[in-house]
Each structure stands twice: as structure tokens, then as C-alpha cells.
Amino acid sequence: MNQTKPRILTGDRPTGPLHLGHYVGTLKNRVALQDQYDCFFIIADLHTLTTAITKEKTSGIPDRVRGLVLDYLSVGIDPQKSVIYQQSRVPEVTYLSLIFSNLVTVPRAQRVPTLKDVMHDLHIEQPTVGLLTYPILQAADILMVKANLVPVGKDQESHVEVSREVARDFNRIFSEVFPVPKALIGDVGSLIGTDGQAKMSKSIGNCIYLSDDEDTVNKKVKGMYTDSTRLKPTDPGHIEGNPVFIYHDAFNDNKEEVTELKDRYVKGLVGDVEVKTKLALALNKFLTPIRAKRAEFEGKNDLIEQIIAEGSQKALLEAQKTLDEVLTAMGIR
Ligand code: ATP
Ligand code: MG
């Protein structure tokens, strides 16, 4: 691949289907930047081992990888323009990760805030070495393709910081091999879940998925958390931090309707039912083209497999090139 454009690397762990949080956090930026950047979208299956090392989970990886590709295609990621690849098909990344692990101290890795968050959320008492080095493997993913930009959700910013430090340290100790990558955070930093309690997350189950049908969306919206201080529709309501309005702001393209609903809400002139009915309509409108695109590719497993195989081949070539350069810079080769 001739590097004429700046590069993007970002991706997802194949732990489940993608949701609205992924869309605002990173997918929207990915689709928007596909023409300006050479994009590499990684399906980070090795990263799932850090929280799910059971045969049941690992043997489900191929299915979930195909599911993610389908999610990508449905939102408009175009394999003609962008590389979609599976991390485990590019073993060079683990080699690079091993080299990088010598540039990061144990306390530095322990200070990454997501480590504590993941341990807390998943009730992990002692982190494995794999979980501790998660951001180092991620640095290898990013630097392997010499990415300039990493579109991720707010929760991933601290990981990109580790990649930046690794790039700077390597360049300083050896020679200028790596660009120092920048994080690009989506407009809605971290989208809250339908429960109003935590960020929308596959492992919590407070999600509206891009693959949900109309009825499911209607039901989920009906059950959404709103303003708990408001007991009846005539009480003045709060907009700030209210998930229903956060979603209206993010997904309802009728801005006038949103302004008008907010205005009535704070005055106690509209009930949750109307706000939610309008939200469900807006979300279903947003999801309609995504559903149509998904239907085009659904069941075409051979095509999906071909996309992964071709993408992984391209990523592999980049990885071999970078690893050669790294070993040469280090004087090992
Ligand atoms: P898991 O529960 O398995 O960690 P997840 O739903 O948090 O899954 P990830 O695969 O960890 O999803 O995240 C993939 C990308 O989507 C990352 O860039 C992450 O920052 C972003 N992302 C995930 N959830 C949200 C959210 N609620 N709001 C904004 N961005 C998000
Ligand atoms: Mg996550």
C-alpha cells in the first residue's frame, strides 16, 4: 500500500454487537473520514482474551467477528476504501507488543484508568498480565500501521496516551520510525446507557443495538430512565444529564422538534410518553438506512470472509514492513 494519505487505526473487540454508543463514539467519525485517510479497522480478537479466557468465549470469536463486519458494512464502512482485518491473523503485532512492553513500566501500566474501571465493572480481583498489558498490545496495533489518528470513545483516550508515549520513547531511543498518534473523540464523548446509570456497554446490557428492529427499539425507549425527580408530567423537568434528551440531541435530526420538546419539558408541559414516542420515531428513522444496508449483506458469509481475509493480508504486509524497520532501527537486523 502506497502511503499517500494520513492513516487511521481504530476498531472493536468482538465481544458483541455494536450499539448507538459505538456509533457516536467512533463509527460516525470512521465513516466520515474514510476518503481523507487510509483507514485500518481492527477487529481486536486477541484483546478479548484479557477479559474472557474460556473455551466457550474463544470458540465464539469467528461468529462474532463476522457479526462485527456486518455491523461495519451496515453503517457504511466500505471495504473498497478501508481495510477491515482480524488482529489474530497478523501475528507480527504480538512481536511488536513484546518489544514495546519493555518501554512501559509496571506502575505506568497500572495507572491507566481503564484498568481499574474494567476490574471494577467485571469484578476482577487481580488483573492478569494480559489485562495489564492491554494498552501495550493496543499501541502495537496502532503503531504497526503507523497511524496518525485514532477515532475512539472518551474511555479509550488514556490508552492512546500510552501509544503516544511508546512512539516517542522508541523514536528517541532508536530512530524516528513512528508518527505520534492523536486520539479523535466523537462529539458525544461517552454515550450513557438506557438505564441512565453507566455508559452504554455491551457487557452491561443497557444498549440499543444498531441491529435492533423497530419493535425492540420502541420497547427499549419505553423502558428508558428519564428524570427521576419528576413525578407527574406537570412537574418542571430536567434536561441536563437526562438520557432521553441526550439521545434526542444525538439522533433526532429534527432540531426544532427537540428544542420545542425541551422547552415544554422544563415548564412541565409535556409528559415522558410524548418525549419517548418522538425519540423512538427518531431512532427508528436513524436506523432505517442502517437496517437496509445490513439486509444487503446479511447471510453472505463468503463475502464477509473474503473481506476479512483480504483486509488481514493487507494489514499483514504493513506489519511485516514496520517490524523490519523496527528491528533494523534497533540494530537487531
Ligand atoms: P465491552 O463492554 O466489551 O468493553 P463496549 O461496548 O465498551 O464493549 P468496546 O469494544 O470496548 O465497546 O469499544 C469500542 C469502541 O467504541 C471504543 O472506541 C470505545 O471508546 C467506543 N465506545 C464504546 N462504548 C461507548 C459509549 N457508550 N459511548 C461512546 N463511545 C463508546
Ligand atoms: Mg469497553
Side-chain angles (χ1 to χ4, degrees):
M1 196 179 256
N2 268 335
Q3 193 172 350
T4 47
K5 297 179 193 171
R7 285 201 172 163
I8 276 182
L9 180 127
T10 186
D12 308 273
R13 304 195 310 154
T15 50
L18 297 183
H19 51 62
L20 295 178
H22 295 117
Y23 187 84
V24 291
T26 132
L27 295 171
K28 192 176 168 190
N29 274 333
R30 294 186 208 178
V31 175
L33 298 172
Q34 267 187 122
D35 292 312
Q36 281 159 265
Y37 286 80
D38 266 345
C39 293
F40 288 81
F41 299 129
I42 180 175
I43 300 183
D45 53 344
L46 295 177
H47 269 116
T48 67
L49 306 182
T50 57
T51 50
I53 186 117
T54 62
K55 180 70 189 282
E56 195 199 339
K57 290 273 173 64
T58 53
S59 61
I61 286 176
D63 255 356
R64 289 197 300 273
V65 168
R66 284 191 289 272
L68 267 191
V69 176
L70 198 51
D71 276 332
Y72 288 173
L73 297 172
S74 77
V75 294
I77 288 179
D78 179 353
Q80 302 294 332
K81 296 179 184 166
S82 301
V83 174
I84 297 173
Y85 75 99
Q86 184 175 359
Q87 188 182 31
S88 61
R89 299 193 196 199
V90 184
E92 279 74 1
V93 76
T94 59
Y95 191 160
L96 203 57
S97 174
L98 179 113
I99 296 173
F100 290 167
S101 67
N102 297 287
L103 295 171
V104 181
T105 65
V106 172
R108 174 66 186 97
Q110 285 170 328
R111 261 201 323 272
V112 173
T114 33
L115 176 64
K116 257 201 203 116
D117 295 345
V118 168
M119 286 176 63
H120 174 266
D121 293 347
L122 303 182
H123 313 289
I124 297 171
E125 277 181 23
Q126 292 294 341
T128 61
V129 174
L131 184 60
L132 183 67
T133 57
Y134 187 114
I136 301 173
L137 179 56
Q138 192 172 342
D141 297 327
I142 294 170
L143 300 180
M144 183 191 92
V145 299
K146 299 193 176 177
N148 307 90
L149 198 68
V150 188
V152 282
K154 184 89 187 143
D155 60 306
Q156 288 283 321
E157 208 172 13
S158 62
H159 285 182
V160 180
E161 191 49 42
V162 173
S163 302
R164 291 165 61 80
E165 289 170 20
V166 167
R168 280 198 213 102
D169 286 346
F170 187 94
N171 291 348
R172 180 176 44 76
I173 300 171
F174 302 105
S175 59
E176 284 284 325
V177 171
F178 298 112
V180 179
K182 274 205 188 80
L184 175 70
I185 311 297
D187 333 321
V188 184
S190 225
L191 188 74
I192 196 153
T194 50
D195 58 357
Q197 304 297 311
K199 93 172 177 84
M200 190 177 279
S201 169
K202 312 179 263 219
S203 20
I204 303 179
N206 54 359
C207 304
I208 294 178
Y209 293 106
L210 299 175
S211 46
D212 279 346
D213 62 20
E214 201 172 322
D215 273 357
T216 310
V217 170
N218 291 343
K219 276 195 202 106
K220 286 183 177 175
V221 171
K222 220 179 239 169
M224 269 180 77
Y225 175 99
T226 57
D227 176 359
S228 58
T229 63
R230 195 168 181 248
L231 302 175
K232 39 186 199 316
T234 49
D235 291 342
H238 298 90
I239 306 289
E240 192 79 5
N242 186 333
V244 180
F245 283 102
I246 293 174
Y247 291 13
H248 263 298
D249 278 333
F251 299 102
N252 190 342
D253 62 2
N254 185 346
K255 297 301 162 207
E256 257 168 57
E257 177 177 274
V258 178
T259 310
E260 190 265 339
L261 276 177
K262 284 181 180 171
D263 187 53
R264 284 197 284 139
Y265 198 80
V266 292
K267 292 179 182 151
L269 295 173
V270 62
D272 279 347
V273 175
E274 185 182 339
V275 177
K276 287 183 173 178
T277 307
K278 289 190 165 145
L279 176 61
L281 278 169
L283 287 177
N284 280 317
K285 184 176 172 205
F286 165 77
L287 289 171
T288 298
I290 295 177
R291 288 175 187 140
K293 197 115 195 155
R294 171 182 299 277
E296 275 177 44
F297 293 101
E298 206 137 39
K300 295 190 178 159
N301 276 352
D302 290 348
L303 176 65
I304 290 176
E305 177 53 39
Q306 189 189 338
I307 290 170
I308 303 168
E310 286 177 6
S312 301
Q313 191 52 36
K314 287 182 191 155
L316 185 75
L317 290 176
E318 293 304 311
Q320 287 168 341
K321 223 163 62 187
T322 305
L323 186 60
D324 263 354
E325 237 180 287
V326 162
L327 294 171
T328 305
M330 295 173 81
I332 294 180
R333 265 191 204 154

